[in-house]
PDB file of all heavy atoms in Angstrom:
ATOM      1  N   GLU F 128     -18.243  -7.184  15.097  1.00 93.00           N
ATOM      2  CA  GLU F 128     -17.493  -6.625  13.963  1.00 93.00           C
ATOM      3  C   GLU F 128     -17.784  -5.128  13.821  1.00 93.00           C
ATOM      4  O   GLU F 128     -16.882  -4.324  13.574  1.00 93.00           O
ATOM      5  CB  GLU F 128     -17.860  -7.348  12.654  1.00 93.00           C
ATOM      6  CG  GLU F 128     -17.394  -8.772  12.560  1.00 93.00           C
ATOM      7  CD  GLU F 128     -15.892  -8.943  12.402  1.00 93.00           C
ATOM      8  OE1 GLU F 128     -15.170  -7.962  12.148  1.00 93.00           O
ATOM      9  OE2 GLU F 128     -15.433 -10.079  12.557  1.00 93.00           O
ATOM     10  N   VAL F 129     -19.058  -4.738  13.963  1.00 93.00           N
ATOM     11  CA  VAL F 129     -19.446  -3.327  13.863  1.00 93.00           C
ATOM     12  C   VAL F 129     -18.783  -2.524  14.975  1.00 93.00           C
ATOM     13  O   VAL F 129     -18.226  -1.446  14.732  1.00 93.00           O
ATOM     14  CB  VAL F 129     -20.987  -3.181  13.897  1.00 93.00           C
ATOM     15  CG1 VAL F 129     -21.397  -1.719  14.056  1.00 93.00           C
ATOM     16  CG2 VAL F 129     -21.607  -3.776  12.629  1.00 93.00           C
ATOM     17  N   ASP F 130     -18.822  -3.053  16.195  1.00 94.00           N
ATOM     18  CA  ASP F 130     -18.198  -2.361  17.333  1.00 94.00           C
ATOM     19  C   ASP F 130     -16.695  -2.180  17.098  1.00 94.00           C
ATOM     20  O   ASP F 130     -16.128  -1.127  17.429  1.00 94.00           O
ATOM     21  CB  ASP F 130     -18.419  -3.137  18.628  1.00 94.00           C
ATOM     22  CG  ASP F 130     -19.863  -3.098  19.105  1.00 94.00           C
ATOM     23  OD1 ASP F 130     -20.656  -2.289  18.587  1.00 94.00           O
ATOM     24  OD2 ASP F 130     -20.201  -3.903  20.001  1.00 94.00           O
ATOM     25  N   ARG F 131     -16.069  -3.195  16.531  1.00 95.00           N
ATOM     26  CA  ARG F 131     -14.621  -3.105  16.270  1.00 95.00           C
ATOM     27  C   ARG F 131     -14.322  -2.036  15.228  1.00 95.00           C
ATOM     28  O   ARG F 131     -13.387  -1.246  15.385  1.00 95.00           O
ATOM     29  CB  ARG F 131     -14.093  -4.462  15.817  1.00 95.00           C
ATOM     30  CG  ARG F 131     -12.590  -4.469  15.649  1.00 95.00           C
ATOM     31  CD  ARG F 131     -12.029  -5.885  15.627  1.00 95.00           C
ATOM     32  NE  ARG F 131     -10.616  -5.820  15.384  1.00 95.00           N
ATOM     33  CZ  ARG F 131     -10.026  -6.145  14.245  1.00 95.00           C
ATOM     34  NH1 ARG F 131     -10.737  -6.621  13.243  1.00 95.00           N
ATOM     35  NH2 ARG F 131      -8.721  -6.046  14.096  1.00 95.00           N
ATOM     36  N   ALA F 132     -15.136  -1.980  14.159  1.00 94.00           N
ATOM     37  CA  ALA F 132     -14.948  -0.947  13.133  1.00 94.00           C
ATOM     38  C   ALA F 132     -15.122   0.443  13.742  1.00 94.00           C
ATOM     39  O   ALA F 132     -14.319   1.351  13.485  1.00 94.00           O
ATOM     40  CB  ALA F 132     -15.935  -1.154  11.986  1.00 94.00           C
ATOM     41  N   GLU F 133     -16.148   0.615  14.558  1.00 93.00           N
ATOM     42  CA  GLU F 133     -16.384   1.911  15.206  1.00 93.00           C
ATOM     43  C   GLU F 133     -15.222   2.288  16.118  1.00 93.00           C
ATOM     44  O   GLU F 133     -14.796   3.447  16.138  1.00 93.00           O
ATOM     45  CB  GLU F 133     -17.679   1.874  16.017  1.00 93.00           C
ATOM     46  CG  GLU F 133     -18.925   1.869  15.159  1.00 93.00           C
ATOM     47  CD  GLU F 133     -20.207   1.730  15.968  1.00 93.00           C
ATOM     48  OE1 GLU F 133     -20.150   1.254  17.136  1.00 93.00           O
ATOM     49  OE2 GLU F 133     -21.267   2.091  15.437  1.00 93.00           O
ATOM     50  N   ALA F 134     -14.709   1.319  16.862  1.00 93.00           N
ATOM     51  CA  ALA F 134     -13.598   1.594  17.781  1.00 93.00           C
ATOM     52  C   ALA F 134     -12.344   2.002  17.026  1.00 93.00           C
ATOM     53  O   ALA F 134     -11.626   2.918  17.450  1.00 93.00           O
ATOM     54  CB  ALA F 134     -13.318   0.368  18.653  1.00 93.00           C
ATOM     55  N   VAL F 135     -12.078   1.349  15.901  1.00 94.00           N
ATOM     56  CA  VAL F 135     -10.861   1.654  15.133  1.00 94.00           C
ATOM     57  C   VAL F 135     -10.930   3.059  14.553  1.00 94.00           C
ATOM     58  O   VAL F 135      -9.977   3.839  14.665  1.00 94.00           O
ATOM     59  CB  VAL F 135     -10.622   0.593  14.032  1.00 94.00           C
ATOM     60  CG1 VAL F 135      -9.538   1.041  13.061  1.00 94.00           C
ATOM     61  CG2 VAL F 135     -10.244  -0.737  14.656  1.00 94.00           C
ATOM     62  N   ILE F 136     -12.071   3.429  13.942  1.00 93.00           N
ATOM     63  CA  ILE F 136     -12.164   4.768  13.344  1.00 93.00           C
ATOM     64  C   ILE F 136     -12.197   5.834  14.435  1.00 93.00           C
ATOM     65  O   ILE F 136     -11.601   6.898  14.287  1.00 93.00           O
ATOM     66  CB  ILE F 136     -13.351   4.892  12.359  1.00 93.00           C
ATOM     67  CG1 ILE F 136     -13.271   6.213  11.568  1.00 93.00           C
ATOM     68  CG2 ILE F 136     -14.684   4.799  13.065  1.00 93.00           C
ATOM     69  CD1 ILE F 136     -12.065   6.398  10.698  1.00 93.00           C
ATOM     70  N   GLU F 137     -12.857   5.534  15.551  1.00 93.00           N
ATOM     71  CA  GLU F 137     -12.893   6.504  16.652  1.00 93.00           C
ATOM     72  C   GLU F 137     -11.496   6.738  17.224  1.00 93.00           C
ATOM     73  O   GLU F 137     -11.118   7.873  17.521  1.00 93.00           O
ATOM     74  CB  GLU F 137     -13.844   6.022  17.740  1.00 93.00           C
ATOM     75  CG  GLU F 137     -14.067   7.055  18.821  1.00 93.00           C
ATOM     76  CD  GLU F 137     -15.091   6.600  19.843  1.00 93.00           C
ATOM     77  OE1 GLU F 137     -16.232   6.305  19.462  1.00 93.00           O
ATOM     78  OE2 GLU F 137     -14.716   6.545  21.037  1.00 93.00           O
ATOM     79  N   GLN F 138     -10.719   5.685  17.365  1.00 93.00           N
ATOM     80  CA  GLN F 138      -9.344   5.819  17.863  1.00 93.00           C
ATOM     81  C   GLN F 138      -8.492   6.620  16.878  1.00 93.00           C
ATOM     82  O   GLN F 138      -7.705   7.479  17.285  1.00 93.00           O
ATOM     83  CB  GLN F 138      -8.721   4.437  18.105  1.00 93.00           C
ATOM     84  CG  GLN F 138      -7.289   4.462  18.597  1.00 93.00           C
ATOM     85  CD  GLN F 138      -7.113   5.016  20.004  1.00 93.00           C
ATOM     86  OE1 GLN F 138      -8.069   5.123  20.758  1.00 93.00           O
ATOM     87  NE2 GLN F 138      -5.894   5.372  20.348  1.00 93.00           N
ATOM     88  N   LEU F 139      -8.669   6.362  15.596  1.00 93.00           N
ATOM     89  CA  LEU F 139      -7.915   7.069  14.556  1.00 93.00           C
ATOM     90  C   LEU F 139      -8.245   8.564  14.588  1.00 93.00           C
ATOM     91  O   LEU F 139      -7.350   9.416  14.605  1.00 93.00           O
ATOM     92  CB  LEU F 139      -8.250   6.454  13.193  1.00 93.00           C
ATOM     93  CG  LEU F 139      -7.557   6.993  11.957  1.00 93.00           C
ATOM     94  CD1 LEU F 139      -6.053   6.915  12.091  1.00 93.00           C
ATOM     95  CD2 LEU F 139      -8.024   6.198  10.735  1.00 93.00           C
ATOM     96  N   ILE F 140      -9.523   8.885  14.629  1.00 93.00           N
ATOM     97  CA  ILE F 140      -9.944  10.288  14.684  1.00 93.00           C
ATOM     98  C   ILE F 140      -9.517  10.901  16.018  1.00 93.00           C
ATOM     99  O   ILE F 140      -9.065  12.052  16.065  1.00 93.00           O
ATOM    100  CB  ILE F 140     -11.464  10.409  14.467  1.00 93.00           C
ATOM    101  CG1 ILE F 140     -11.830   9.980  13.035  1.00 93.00           C
ATOM    102  CG2 ILE F 140     -11.943  11.842  14.719  1.00 93.00           C
ATOM    103  CD1 ILE F 140     -13.320   9.802  12.790  1.00 93.00           C
ATOM    104  N   GLY F 141      -9.639  10.126  17.099  1.00 94.00           N
ATOM    105  CA  GLY F 141      -9.227  10.624  18.418  1.00 94.00           C
ATOM    106  C   GLY F 141      -7.757  11.011  18.457  1.00 94.00           C
ATOM    107  O   GLY F 141      -7.390  12.041  19.047  1.00 94.00           O
ATOM    108  N   ARG F 142      -6.904  10.208  17.824  1.00 93.00           N
ATOM    109  CA  ARG F 142      -5.469  10.541  17.778  1.00 93.00           C
ATOM    110  C   ARG F 142      -5.248  11.845  17.008  1.00 93.00           C
ATOM    111  O   ARG F 142      -4.417  12.659  17.384  1.00 93.00           O
ATOM    112  CB  ARG F 142      -4.662   9.414  17.125  1.00 93.00           C
ATOM    113  CG  ARG F 142      -4.400   8.254  18.063  1.00 93.00           C
ATOM    114  CD  ARG F 142      -3.339   7.315  17.538  1.00 93.00           C
ATOM    115  NE  ARG F 142      -2.022   7.935  17.431  1.00 93.00           N
ATOM    116  CZ  ARG F 142      -1.218   8.197  18.454  1.00 93.00           C
ATOM    117  NH1 ARG F 142      -1.600   7.920  19.678  1.00 93.00           N
ATOM    118  NH2 ARG F 142      -0.042   8.733  18.258  1.00 93.00           N
ATOM    119  N   ALA F 143      -5.996  12.011  15.913  1.00 92.00           N
ATOM    120  CA  ALA F 143      -5.862  13.248  15.136  1.00 92.00           C
ATOM    121  C   ALA F 143      -6.322  14.455  15.952  1.00 92.00           C
ATOM    122  O   ALA F 143      -5.673  15.514  15.926  1.00 92.00           O
ATOM    123  CB  ALA F 143      -6.662  13.142  13.843  1.00 92.00           C
ATOM    124  N   ILE F 144      -7.401  14.307  16.694  1.00 93.00           N
ATOM    125  CA  ILE F 144      -7.894  15.408  17.526  1.00 93.00           C
ATOM    126  C   ILE F 144      -6.880  15.746  18.609  1.00 93.00           C
ATOM    127  O   ILE F 144      -6.547  16.916  18.834  1.00 93.00           O
ATOM    128  CB  ILE F 144      -9.256  15.049  18.158  1.00 93.00           C
ATOM    129  CG1 ILE F 144     -10.340  14.967  17.074  1.00 93.00           C
ATOM    130  CG2 ILE F 144      -9.647  16.072  19.228  1.00 93.00           C
ATOM    131  CD1 ILE F 144     -11.652  14.361  17.560  1.00 93.00           C
ATOM    132  N   ALA F 145      -6.393  14.712  19.293  1.00 92.00           N
ATOM    133  CA  ALA F 145      -5.512  14.909  20.450  1.00 92.00           C
ATOM    134  C   ALA F 145      -4.102  15.334  20.067  1.00 92.00           C
ATOM    135  O   ALA F 145      -3.410  15.969  20.858  1.00 92.00           O
ATOM    136  CB  ALA F 145      -5.444  13.622  21.268  1.00 92.00           C
ATOM    137  N   GLY F 146      -3.677  14.963  18.890  1.00 90.00           N
ATOM    138  CA  GLY F 146      -2.269  15.183  18.547  1.00 90.00           C
ATOM    139  C   GLY F 146      -1.395  14.173  19.256  1.00 90.00           C
ATOM    140  O   GLY F 146      -0.229  14.404  19.526  1.00 90.00           O
ATOM    141  N   GLY F 147      -1.963  13.022  19.570  1.00 88.00           N
ATOM    142  CA  GLY F 147      -1.273  11.955  20.299  1.00 88.00           C
ATOM    143  C   GLY F 147      -2.303  11.009  20.881  1.00 88.00           C
ATOM    144  O   GLY F 147      -3.326  10.753  20.258  1.00 88.00           O
ATOM    145  N   GLU F 148      -2.044  10.542  22.085  1.00 90.00           N
ATOM    146  CA  GLU F 148      -2.967   9.598  22.712  1.00 90.00           C
ATOM    147  C   GLU F 148      -4.219  10.326  23.201  1.00 90.00           C
ATOM    148  O   GLU F 148      -4.122  11.271  23.982  1.00 90.00           O
ATOM    149  CB  GLU F 148      -2.267   8.887  23.877  1.00 90.00           C
ATOM    150  CG  GLU F 148      -2.922   7.599  24.293  1.00 90.00           C
ATOM    151  CD  GLU F 148      -3.074   6.597  23.154  1.00 90.00           C
ATOM    152  OE1 GLU F 148      -2.152   6.448  22.329  1.00 90.00           O
ATOM    153  OE2 GLU F 148      -4.141   5.966  23.107  1.00 90.00           O
ATOM    154  N   PRO F 149      -5.409   9.914  22.737  1.00 92.00           N
ATOM    155  CA  PRO F 149      -6.628  10.636  23.106  1.00 92.00           C
ATOM    156  C   PRO F 149      -7.082  10.360  24.537  1.00 92.00           C
ATOM    157  O   PRO F 149      -6.921   9.257  25.041  1.00 92.00           O
ATOM    158  CB  PRO F 149      -7.660  10.115  22.101  1.00 92.00           C
ATOM    159  CG  PRO F 149      -7.128   8.830  21.597  1.00 92.00           C
ATOM    160  CD  PRO F 149      -5.643   8.858  21.749  1.00 92.00           C
ATOM    161  N   ASN F 150      -7.659  11.381  25.160  1.00 93.00           N
ATOM    162  CA  ASN F 150      -8.270  11.227  26.474  1.00 93.00           C
ATOM    163  C   ASN F 150      -9.792  11.047  26.275  1.00 93.00           C
ATOM    164  O   ASN F 150     -10.265  11.087  25.136  1.00 93.00           O
ATOM    165  CB  ASN F 150      -7.930  12.427  27.379  1.00 93.00           C
ATOM    166  CG  ASN F 150      -8.508  13.739  26.862  1.00 93.00           C
ATOM    167  OD1 ASN F 150      -9.570  13.776  26.235  1.00 93.00           O
ATOM    168  ND2 ASN F 150      -7.804  14.838  27.132  1.00 93.00           N
ATOM    169  N   PRO F 151     -10.566  10.867  27.351  1.00 94.00           N
ATOM    170  CA  PRO F 151     -12.014  10.657  27.182  1.00 94.00           C
ATOM    171  C   PRO F 151     -12.720  11.782  26.423  1.00 94.00           C
ATOM    172  O   PRO F 151     -13.643  11.529  25.637  1.00 94.00           O
ATOM    173  CB  PRO F 151     -12.521  10.538  28.626  1.00 94.00           C
ATOM    174  CG  PRO F 151     -11.355   9.952  29.374  1.00 94.00           C
ATOM    175  CD  PRO F 151     -10.153  10.609  28.747  1.00 94.00           C
ATOM    176  N   SER F 152     -12.297  13.018  26.623  1.00 92.00           N
ATOM    177  CA  SER F 152     -12.906  14.142  25.902  1.00 92.00           C
ATOM    178  C   SER F 152     -12.645  14.033  24.394  1.00 92.00           C
ATOM    179  O   SER F 152     -13.535  14.271  23.575  1.00 92.00           O
ATOM    180  CB  SER F 152     -12.342  15.459  26.439  1.00 92.00           C
ATOM    181  OG  SER F 152     -12.846  16.539  25.704  1.00 92.00           O
ATOM    182  N   HIS F 153     -11.414  13.664  24.034  1.00 92.00           N
ATOM    183  CA  HIS F 153     -11.078  13.474  22.616  1.00 92.00           C
ATOM    184  C   HIS F 153     -11.909  12.339  22.018  1.00 92.00           C
ATOM    185  O   HIS F 153     -12.366  12.431  20.876  1.00 92.00           O
ATOM    186  CB  HIS F 153      -9.588  13.160  22.447  1.00 92.00           C
ATOM    187  CG  HIS F 153      -8.690  14.249  22.906  1.00 92.00           C
ATOM    188  ND1 HIS F 153      -7.637  14.021  23.756  1.00 92.00           N
ATOM    189  CD2 HIS F 153      -8.681  15.582  22.664  1.00 92.00           C
ATOM    190  CE1 HIS F 153      -7.005  15.155  24.001  1.00 92.00           C
ATOM    191  NE2 HIS F 153      -7.625  16.124  23.353  1.00 92.00           N
ATOM    192  N   HIS F 154     -12.101  11.273  22.803  1.00 92.00           N
ATOM    193  CA  HIS F 154     -12.904  10.144  22.320  1.00 92.00           C
ATOM    194  C   HIS F 154     -14.353  10.559  22.066  1.00 92.00           C
ATOM    195  O   HIS F 154     -14.973  10.124  21.098  1.00 92.00           O
ATOM    196  CB  HIS F 154     -12.855   8.971  23.306  1.00 92.00           C
ATOM    197  CG  HIS F 154     -11.650   8.105  23.150  1.00 92.00           C
ATOM    198  ND1 HIS F 154     -11.417   7.347  22.027  1.00 92.00           N
ATOM    199  CD2 HIS F 154     -10.593   7.897  23.972  1.00 92.00           C
ATOM    200  CE1 HIS F 154     -10.275   6.697  22.158  1.00 92.00           C
ATOM    201  NE2 HIS F 154      -9.753   7.014  23.325  1.00 92.00           N
ATOM    202  N   ARG F 155     -14.898  11.417  22.942  1.00 93.00           N
ATOM    203  CA  ARG F 155     -16.277  11.882  22.733  1.00 93.00           C
ATOM    204  C   ARG F 155     -16.374  12.684  21.440  1.00 93.00           C
ATOM    205  O   ARG F 155     -17.303  12.495  20.650  1.00 93.00           O
ATOM    206  CB  ARG F 155     -16.753  12.692  23.935  1.00 93.00           C
ATOM    207  CG  ARG F 155     -17.105  11.830  25.144  1.00 93.00           C
ATOM    208  CD  ARG F 155     -17.819  12.622  26.224  1.00 93.00           C
ATOM    209  NE  ARG F 155     -16.963  13.619  26.853  1.00 93.00           N
ATOM    210  CZ  ARG F 155     -16.101  13.378  27.833  1.00 93.00           C
ATOM    211  NH1 ARG F 155     -15.983  12.148  28.324  1.00 93.00           N
ATOM    212  NH2 ARG F 155     -15.366  14.345  28.346  1.00 93.00           N
ATOM    213  N   LEU F 156     -15.425  13.586  21.228  1.00 92.00           N
ATOM    214  CA  LEU F 156     -15.419  14.361  19.978  1.00 92.00           C
ATOM    215  C   LEU F 156     -15.226  13.441  18.774  1.00 92.00           C
ATOM    216  O   LEU F 156     -15.875  13.616  17.733  1.00 92.00           O
ATOM    217  CB  LEU F 156     -14.303  15.409  20.004  1.00 92.00           C
ATOM    218  CG  LEU F 156     -14.564  16.672  20.804  1.00 92.00           C
ATOM    219  CD1 LEU F 156     -13.303  17.530  20.862  1.00 92.00           C
ATOM    220  CD2 LEU F 156     -15.718  17.461  20.212  1.00 92.00           C
ATOM    221  N   ALA F 157     -14.345  12.461  18.910  1.00 93.00           N
ATOM    222  CA  ALA F 157     -14.110  11.508  17.815  1.00 93.00           C
ATOM    223  C   ALA F 157     -15.384  10.729  17.503  1.00 93.00           C
ATOM    224  O   ALA F 157     -15.673  10.444  16.334  1.00 93.00           O
ATOM    225  CB  ALA F 157     -12.972  10.558  18.176  1.00 93.00           C
TER     226      ALA F 157
END
Side-chain angles (χ1 to χ4, degrees):
E128 291 289 349
V129 169
D130 289 347
R131 185 162 177 253
E133 288 176 340
V135 169
I136 190 62
E137 187 176 302
Q138 179 68 16
L139 182 56
I140 294 169
R142 281 194 65 75
I144 292 169
E148 200 56 41
N150 64 32
S152 176
H153 298 130
H154 277 294
R155 284 191 292 278
L156 282 173

